[in-house]
Amino acid sequence: MATCGFYEKCPIYNRFKTEMLKNIYIRQYCSGDFTKCQRYQIRQKTGKPAPEDLLPDGKTLSKFHG
């Protein structure tokens, strides 16, 4: 299964409160069809990193309590 090339340096995972939630996002967005990840899409489109608080599903951490 393919893994996103940006996964190793993705800063979003340092901000999760639980390993369980972090692992769910990793399984859904970093492994397999990582092209669904909003962070990946922004990086591909602009060549710049996504905003620090942007989650892979497009929500922001300020609106998320995980």
Side-chain angles (χ1 to χ4, degrees):
M1 186 174 292
T3 301
C4 176
F6 303 118
Y7 167 70
E8 293 290 326
K9 295 183 180 179
C10 189
I12 197 69
Y13 296 111
N14 295 329
R15 303 193 56 193
F16 281 106
K17 294 178 183 174
T18 68
E19 284 295 311
M20 185 179 81
L21 189 56
K22 175 182 165 181
N23 290 332
I24 290 169
Y25 271 93
I26 288 171
R27 195 169 41 251
Q28 186 168 355
Y29 292 100
C30 303
S31 303
D33 187 9
F34 53 84
T35 60
K36 295 186 301 183
C37 176
Q38 295 296 308
R39 298 182 62 79
Y40 175 85
Q41 291 176 17
I42 288 172
R43 184 74 176 245
Q44 289 297 103
K45 186 176 181 179
T46 67
K48 297 178 182 176
E52 290 271 333
D53 66 342
L54 182 69
L55 292 167
D57 61 8
K59 296 176 185 170
T60 59
L61 282 174
S62 61
K63 296 178 183 175
F64 179 81
H65 302 287

